[in-house]
Amino acid sequence: EAGVAQSPRYKIIEKRQSVAFWCNPISGHATLYWYQQILGQGPKLLIQFQNNGVVDDSQLPKDRFSAERLKGVDSTLKIQPAKLEDSAVYLCASSLVFPGSYNEQFFGPGTRLTVL
Amino acid sequence: LAKTTQPISMDSYEGQEVNITCSHNNIATNDYITWYQQFPSQGPRFIIQGYKTKVTNEVASLFIPADRKSSTLSLPRVSLSDTAVYYCLVGASGGSYIPTFGRGTSLIVHP
């Protein structure tokens, strides 16, 4: 079974530039998550989709971050414009949804973003 | 959302058993307890999940007392490759579950 795919793996941009990350979840996984992980901290959930609907985006800085999952499969996360404090690893994860049972998350390798 | 508290770091030696305790005093009735492991430059990986009493798999055991206000991840006979950050998460099942990672416990296994 193929895992969660993310691209690019690394990105270096200057502040005020724009950047986009792509994620392809495991086939059949209805739930998709985007996390931001700053060095030395745990992953912080930015947005959670179930199919193509948003379950939670309370921690997404909506003035600069946006995410979409148009067909309920792959997803893109965009930052426009980037700030220095956006330097982090951006992780994508997916899970099945089984009512009444825990949904194990499968993570991709992440995209390391450096904002100069 | 139930808040979790874990030690920031732990040290151990190869071959020893390691126990990492997580406190979750305001756990709700339908919350599960889940542990993830993260190696440097990788995404977290699911280790084990439980609701009450004891759960064991090929990697670890999870002990949950009757009041469920804490849980202990037990790693038997650790090796150098168990050096990683371990996260405890608490939350309910289903599509509405909002996962919250804390800072985790950084485990360093020494030769």
Side-chain angles (χ1 to χ4, degrees):
Chain A
E1 178 180 83
V4 175
Q6 288 189 249
S7 66
R9 290 296 312 278
Y10 304 92
K11 189 74 176 178
I12 300 174
I13 62 173
E14 296 189 350
K15 60 183 179 183
R16 291 187 289 271
Q17 285 188 323
S18 301
V19 65
F21 312 126
W22 175 81
C23 173
N24 192 25
I26 294 172
S27 177
H29 281 197
T31 307
L32 185 147
Y33 315 79
W34 281 104
Y35 291 88
Q36 178 193 60
Q37 186 170 26
I38 293 173
L39 188 64
Q41 299 182 19
K44 183 179 85 170
L45 181 68
L46 294 176
I47 189 167
Q48 178 178 341
F49 293 95
Q50 185 166 335
N51 297 309
N52 59 350
V54 175
V55 174
D56 183 82
D57 63 357
S58 59
Q59 298 191 97
L60 186 74
K62 298 180 185 64
D63 58 334
R64 298 184 300 106
F65 286 63
S66 64
E68 60 182 15
R69 192 185 186 198
L70 293 176
K71 297 182 179 179
V73 181
D74 58 348
S75 175
T76 56
L77 176 70
K78 298 178 181 178
I79 307 175
Q80 180 180 4
K83 293 185 175 181
L84 296 177
E85 58 261 37
D86 298 332
S87 293
V89 175
Y90 291 84
L91 294 163
C92 179
S94 69
S95 66
L96 290 166
V97 178
F98 287 117
S101 67
Y102 177 75
N103 306 308
E104 175 184 345
Q105 295 179 67
F106 295 84
F107 283 81
T111 297
R112 183 176 298 278
L113 173 67
T114 302
V115 182
L116 303 176
Chain B
L1 294 175
K3 178 179 168 58
T4 60
T5 303
Q6 305 174 232
I8 295 294
S9 63
M10 295 182 68
D11 288 88
S12 183
Y13 292 89
E14 285 190 290
Q16 289 189 334
E17 178 184 72
V18 171
N19 295 309
I20 306 174
T21 297
C22 178
S23 297
H24 28 79
N25 291 320
N26 60 338
I27 188 169
T29 302
N30 57 346
D31 282 347
Y32 286 79
I33 299 156
T34 311
W35 287 80
Y36 283 83
Q37 174 191 56
Q38 186 176 28
F39 298 114
S41 301
Q42 295 185 24
R45 183 181 69 149
F46 174 91
I47 301 177
I48 196 167
Q49 170 243 320
Y51 183 80
K52 61 181 179 180
T53 62
K54 177 184 174 182
V55 180
T56 297
N57 62 22
E58 65 278 5
V59 176
S61 294
L62 179 59
F63 298 92
I64 305 168
D67 66 6
R68 304 200 328 123
K69 293 185 182 301
S70 67
S71 58
T72 299
L73 174 72
S74 181
L75 304 172
R77 298 180 298 281
V78 294
S79 64
L80 298 178
S81 62
D82 293 314
T83 294
V85 179
Y86 293 81
Y87 297 97
C88 165
L89 277 72
V90 173
S93 64
S96 61
Y97 169 58
I98 310 298
T100 302
F101 286 80
R103 294 195 63 172
T105 299
S106 177
L107 172 66
I108 298 176
V109 180
H110 302 277

